[in-house]
Amino acid sequence: MPDLVTKSLDIETWPDFARLVEAHNGVWGGCWCMAFHAKGEGWGKSAEKNRQEKECLVREGRAHAALVFDGSDCVGWCQFGSPEELPRIKNRRAYLSTNPSLPDWRITCFFSGKGYRGKGVTSAALAGALDQIGKLGGGRVEGYPEDTEGRRVSGSFLFNGALSTFERHGFTRSRPIGKHKWVVTRTVP
C-alpha cells in the first residue's frame, strides 16, 4: 500500500490535478470532473472547454476536491461541494421523488489513476474530503454510492464510490435511488 496524503484542489494543486486528468485522456471522455457542476457553455462541446471551465471554477474557489498524492504524484480525488456548486446528480428523478431536504454538502465522484485502483485511493480521498468539509464548517453530507455486495461491478460504474467504503467512513443508508444505488448520509462537525 502506498503512503497516501490528501490536499485540497486549489490553484496551487491545479497543475497536479491537470496532469492526472491529461494522463487519462480527460477522464470519462473529457469530463474533467465537470458532469456534476451546472452546465457551462462548454458542456458537451469539447474536453478543452471542460478543462477551461474547471480551471476557472478552481480559480474562483467554486470547485472542491480532496486530491490524493503518493509522494509528489496526484493519483486520485474525491469531488465534493454544496448542492449549489454541484446541482447535477445521477438518478436525479428517483432522488427528487423522495422529496429530499438538500444536504449541506454532496460527494459526487471519485477517480483513481491507473496503477492505483484497489489500493485505498478512494478511501483516502473520502477521508480527505470529510476533513476538508469539517474545516469548511461541516454539516450534513450526502453521497450516492453503488452497492457492490455479492456482485462484480466494473470500475467504470463506481465513479460515485462503493457503498461499503462510505459505510466504513461512518455514513448510514438513507434511501435507495436505484437498483443498487443509495443515498447515504453523515454529519461532519
Side-chain angles (χ1 to χ4, degrees):
M1 293 288 284
D3 187 24
L4 304 174
V5 297
T6 61
K7 299 177 185 178
S8 299
L9 173 61
D10 58 27
I11 198 58
E12 289 181 25
T13 58
W14 170 260
D16 304 307
F17 172 80
R19 267 191 299 281
L20 178 61
V21 176
E22 289 165 353
H24 292 84
N25 299 315
V27 179
W28 296 300
C31 176
W32 276 86
C33 214
M34 287 294 294
F36 299 101
H37 288 282
K39 287 185 177 182
E41 69 178 58
W43 185 266
K45 292 184 181 168
S46 73
E48 184 55 34
K49 279 281 195 194
N50 282 340
R51 182 193 197 286
Q52 291 169 2
E53 289 181 6
K54 185 68 170 197
E55 185 174 7
C56 182
L57 291 173
V58 169
R59 286 183 183 282
E60 295 171 354
R62 297 187 303 130
H64 295 86
L67 302 182
V68 180
F69 286 80
D70 180 12
S72 62
D73 296 326
C74 181
V75 299
W77 70 77
C78 170
Q79 177 175 255
F80 67 94
S82 68
E84 295 78 26
E85 184 178 311
L86 300 169
R88 301 170 52 80
I89 60 171
K90 301 292 181 184
N91 302 81
R92 184 173 186 76
R93 185 176 300 149
Y95 178 85
L96 291 174
S97 75
T98 64
N99 196 25
S101 63
L102 293 179
D104 299 300
W105 301 96
R106 285 183 164 154
I107 293 177
T108 55
C109 71
F110 294 87
F111 181 77
S112 297
K114 292 174 188 162
Y116 283 90
R117 295 171 189 155
K119 295 186 177 179
V121 172
T122 299
S123 185
L126 181 54
L130 294 172
D131 181 59
Q132 288 181 40
I133 288 169
K135 290 175 181 171
L136 291 167
R140 191 166 61 86
V141 182
E142 275 186 356
Y144 315 99
E146 182 88 8
D147 185 1
T148 62
E149 188 174 332
R151 63 193 189 94
R152 190 164 174 84
V153 180
S154 167
S156 62
F157 289 108
L158 294 178
F159 55 86
N160 285 131
L163 178 61
S164 59
T165 303
F166 278 85
E167 289 178 331
R168 280 194 306 275
H169 285 271
F171 283 80
T172 58
R173 298 176 195 205
S174 173
R175 61 198 180 277
I177 54 170
K179 184 175 180 181
H180 300 286
K181 186 77 78 179
W182 284 84
V183 174
V184 295
T185 61
R186 175 182 163 180
T187 300
V188 174

